[in-house]
Amino acid sequence: MAAAAAVVTPSGLEDGASRSRGEGAGEVVVERGPGAAYHMFVVMEDLVEKLKLLRYEEDLLRKNNLKPPSRHYFALPTNPGEQFYMFCTLAAWLISKAGRPFEQPQEYDDPNATISNILSELRSFGRTADFPPSKLKSGYGEHVCYVLDCLAEEALKYIGFSWKRPTYPVEELEEETVPEDDAELTLNKVDEEFVEEETDNEENFIDLNVLKAQTYRLDMNESAKQEDILESTTDAAEWSLEVERVLPQLKVTIRTDNKDWRIHVDQMHQHKSGIESALKETKGFLDKLHNEITRTLEKIGSREKYINNQLEHLVQEYRAAQAQLSEARERYQQGNGGVTERTRLLAEVTEELEKVKQEMEEKGSSMTDGAPLVKIKQSLTKLKQETVQMDIRIGVVEHTLLQSKLKEKSNMTRDMHATVIPESAMGSY
């Protein structure tokens, strides 16, 4: 049944998927219906079936020690880093299976370069990728499912695989020997079971092909004797024997399904009875454990009270010592504060003393040193020289001034004589 499902399911889904996606699912349908959000789940289920056909469990997973992905692994977000690594590994393996050399990506490779290489290989197969490469970084989503599905299709084409119509097994019309249990129903209960199946939405498979074939043969055999049946001359005893003989063939076999609610109810009752039986034994152990823990706690409490009574005087002494220690710490803090203040005052006094010492040293050095006297003598000598030079300059200036005065006086005298002589000359004329 698993092999048949692996052949039947992808063929039906592949046609629908190819019609909805176009050539290789690259052309996105313009009008997306309400079920478009769930289309990637269908593509993911197709992808899992195609990977099984490519024997990826033996060729890829076991060699790389990878866990097989679930049927909705790339459709739902679980672990983006792990999903992206799984996507790159599967894509590289599918490209290699399609006949193209492609290196297996490593964990520390650049994801942008890896995605670019995968998309370039996808386009080389003639597939379209009308979406940004960043859509593949998350490692899940419809674009991831689309890329892997396209690569899986190319790999199947390369190995020469082609989808065929499913072949259903022909069931032989033989009497089945089944145990007498709830799986057998007589024809009187068939209608009731159909009504229950419709109301409960069950998926039980009823082997009605056998019933239809038997009914068809009976109709063909009885159609020739229709007039005799209308006027029956059969004995009632013979009719009862015939009914008993044919009765096993009139039973309808219902194949049990794991989804049957009756099986679930039976399992629930079995589990309930098992839980109740286990609870009885466990409850006794738990009660015993509870009693032991209670007695132990009582003993611990009594011992604690006894120890407290015996060590009460020591506790009081310890408390008194703690009080004395706290008082000593307070006195120490107060004394430490006084020492700090006195240390600060000592530092200030020491600083002033250093200043006074420095001033005294400067004055003593100035009193004992002869350099100032030498400087004073040199200054006096220089003053005397400057005084002599000034006297010479003063004498020169006085001499120059005296000459200028004498010259001015002689000029004035000359002018006065010049003015007197013309007047006397005019009087003579």
Side-chain angles (χ1 to χ4, degrees):
M1 291 299 292
V7 174
V8 173
T9 305
S11 63
L13 294 175
E14 181 67 22
D15 295 335
S18 61
R19 286 194 297 270
S20 61
R21 296 195 302 260
E23 183 66 22
E27 300 176 359
V28 180
V29 181
V30 177
E31 296 180 358
R32 296 172 65 89
Y38 304 97
H39 179 65
M40 61 180 173
F41 293 93
V42 179
V43 177
M44 184 61 202
E45 291 181 357
D46 289 350
L47 175 62
V48 172
E49 299 297 335
K50 293 172 184 176
L51 292 175
K52 289 180 180 179
L53 292 174
L54 292 169
R55 301 176 62 85
Y56 81 114
E57 295 178 350
E58 294 83 2
D59 298 342
L60 177 65
L61 299 182
R62 293 180 182 176
K63 291 182 179 179
N64 297 324
N65 294 325
L66 298 175
K67 295 180 180 179
S70 61
R71 60 175 184 168
H72 296 154
Y73 182 76
F74 292 110
L76 298 174
T78 55
N79 187 350
E82 179 182 351
Q83 286 177 313
F84 179 74
Y85 178 73
M86 192 68 178
F87 162 71
C88 295
T89 304
L90 273 176
W93 181 74
L94 289 173
I95 293 171
S96 301
K97 292 289 286 186
R100 301 289 180 87
F102 195 87
E103 294 183 358
Q104 192 72 18
Q106 301 300 323
E107 184 177 359
Y108 299 102
D109 290 348
D110 186 10
N112 295 321
T114 304
I115 292 172
S116 178
N117 295 332
I118 292 172
L119 291 180
S120 63
E121 292 292 338
L122 181 66
R123 293 188 182 96
S124 66
F125 287 121
R127 305 292 182 127
T128 57
D130 299 333
F131 53 86
S134 59
K135 294 288 185 180
L136 302 178
K137 277 189 178 181
S138 59
Y140 67 91
E142 71 175 309
H143 300 94
V144 173
C145 297
Y146 158 65
V147 171
L148 293 176
D149 185 62
C150 293
L151 294 176
E153 289 179 0
E154 296 297 330
L156 289 173
K157 289 180 182 178
Y158 182 78
I159 64 176
F161 180 83
S162 61
W163 298 106
K164 299 179 181 179
R165 291 186 175 275
T167 56
Y168 299 100
V170 179
E171 298 182 358
E172 298 179 358
L173 302 177
E174 295 180 356
E175 181 179 357
E176 297 181 357
T177 59
V178 294
E180 294 293 333
D181 53 3
D182 294 339
E184 295 184 355
L185 298 176
T186 59
L187 288 176
N188 295 329
K189 297 182 180 180
V190 171
D191 295 336
E192 297 178 359
E193 291 296 331
F194 284 149
V195 173
E196 291 179 359
E197 288 174 356
E198 291 177 358
T199 55
D200 295 337
N201 293 325
E202 295 180 351
E203 297 179 355
N204 294 332
F205 179 81
I206 302 176
D207 195 1
L208 296 180
N209 294 325
V210 178
L211 181 61
K212 188 184 294 183
Q214 292 178 356
T215 305
Y216 179 75
R217 288 203 304 270
L218 291 175
D219 291 340
M220 293 297 294
N221 294 331
E222 295 295 334
S223 61
K225 301 179 180 180
Q226 186 175 6
E227 295 180 356
D228 295 338
I229 291 173
L230 293 176
E231 296 179 358
S232 178
T233 57
T234 306
D235 189 8
E238 294 179 356
W239 180 263
S240 299
L241 292 173
E242 184 66 20
V243 169
E244 291 179 358
R245 187 183 67 81
V246 181
L247 183 60
Q249 299 180 1
L250 298 180
K251 293 181 180 179
V252 178
T253 302
I254 298 179
R255 298 180 182 177
T256 59
D257 190 1
N258 292 328
K259 297 181 180 179
D260 190 1
W261 63 271
R262 297 180 184 84
I263 298 175
H264 293 171
V265 171
D266 294 337
Q267 291 178 355
M268 288 171 62
H269 287 299
Q270 292 176 2
H271 293 318
K272 181 180 179 183
S273 61
I275 290 170
E276 290 177 352
S277 61
L279 180 61
K280 292 179 181 178
E281 299 176 359
T282 309
K283 189 175 181 182
F285 292 114
L286 292 176
D287 292 337
K288 187 184 294 183
L289 182 61
H290 174 69
N291 295 329
E292 292 179 357
I293 292 173
T294 304
R295 288 195 299 269
T296 305
L297 289 176
E298 291 177 355
K299 289 180 181 179
I300 291 172
S302 62
R303 294 292 178 84
E304 185 178 358
K305 291 179 182 178
Y306 174 76
I307 291 172
N308 290 333
N309 293 328
Q310 293 293 326
L311 301 178
E312 185 175 0
H313 64 283
L314 295 177
V315 173
Q316 291 178 358
E317 292 178 0
Y318 176 73
R319 290 176 181 172
Q322 287 286 342
Q324 293 177 0
L325 179 61
S326 62
E327 292 177 358
R329 285 179 178 175
E330 289 179 359
R331 290 196 300 271
Y332 171 74
Q333 289 178 358
Q334 292 175 0
N336 193 13
V339 170
T340 304
E341 182 67 23
R342 287 175 176 78
T343 303
R344 186 180 62 80
L345 293 175
L346 178 62
E348 292 179 356
V349 172
T350 305
E351 186 177 358
E352 292 179 358
L353 180 61
E354 291 293 333
K355 289 181 180 179
V356 171
K357 285 183 178 180
Q358 186 176 2
E359 290 177 358
M360 289 178 66
E361 288 178 358
E362 290 178 356
K363 288 182 180 180
S365 61
S366 62
M367 290 174 66
T368 57
D369 191 7
L373 293 175
V374 174
K375 289 181 180 180
I376 290 170
K377 289 180 180 180
Q378 291 177 356
S379 299
L380 289 174
T381 304
K382 190 175 181 180
L383 286 173
K384 286 180 180 180
Q385 291 176 358
E386 290 179 353
T387 303
V388 172
Q389 290 178 0
M390 289 298 294
D391 290 339
I392 294 171
R393 289 179 181 179
I394 289 170
V396 172
V397 170
E398 288 180 352
H399 179 69
T400 303
L401 182 61
L402 180 60
Q403 284 183 354
S404 63
K405 285 182 179 181
L406 291 175
K407 188 176 181 180
E408 184 180 358
K409 187 175 180 180
S410 62
N411 291 331
M412 290 178 63
T413 303
R414 191 186 310 113
D415 292 338
M416 288 177 63
H417 286 293
T419 53
V420 171
I421 291 173
E423 289 181 357
S424 61
M426 297 223 20
S428 65
Y429 288 108

